[in-house]
Amino acid sequence: MTDKTALWDTLGKTDPTQTKQFKRAGGFSGTAIKPMWAYRRMTEEFGPCGVGWGVNEPSFQVVPGSDGEVLVYCTVGAWHGTREQVVFGVGGDKVVGK
C-alpha cells in the first residue's frame, strides 16, 4: 500500500454479501452495491456524514430521445475530508420507452 493509493486500497473492494442483482427492461442486468453498506463504510473511514464526508445535491437532466423516448441523467458529487475534494458520478436511464 502506498500513500497515493491508500484510500483506494482501503475502500476499493466491495464485500460481495453487500451487493444485489438487478434486471431492467430490455434485458440489462447487473450488480449494485447496497447503499447503506456504502454509507457505513464511508462513515467508518471518514466519520459522520456531513462532517468527514458527504454527498452534494444531485442534478438531473431530462433529454428527449428518438420516437418519443425520454432519457434522464443524474450527476452527483461525493466529497471527503473537505467539501472541495469532490468525485462526481453520472448515471442515466430511459424513463419513457417505446
Side-chain angles (χ1 to χ4, degrees):
M1 185 179 331
T2 69
D3 287 346
K4 292 181 181 178
T5 62
L7 187 57
W8 182 265
D9 295 338
T10 300
L11 295 175
K13 202 163 204 126
T14 301
D15 178 350
T17 67
Q18 299 301 320
T19 63
K20 57 185 174 183
Q21 301 295 314
F22 67 88
K23 289 187 181 212
R24 293 213 176 125
F28 180 76
S29 64
T31 304
I33 298 171
K34 294 178 181 177
M36 293 308 293
W37 179 81
Y39 296 159
R40 180 183 176 95
R41 289 293 294 124
M42 296 288 283
T43 300
E44 289 171 351
E45 190 64 28
F46 301 115
C49 181
V51 177
W53 70 280
V55 180
N56 297 336
E57 184 175 346
S59 65
F60 296 91
Q61 180 183 15
V62 178
V63 179
S66 60
D67 295 325
E69 294 179 335
V70 178
L71 310 173
V72 65
Y73 296 96
C74 177
T75 302
V76 68
W79 59 269
H80 70 91
T82 67
R83 293 177 187 264
E84 289 76 35
Q85 296 185 101
V86 180
V87 176
F88 292 95
V90 178
D93 205 349
K94 188 184 300 184
V95 293
V96 176
K98 189 170 183 182

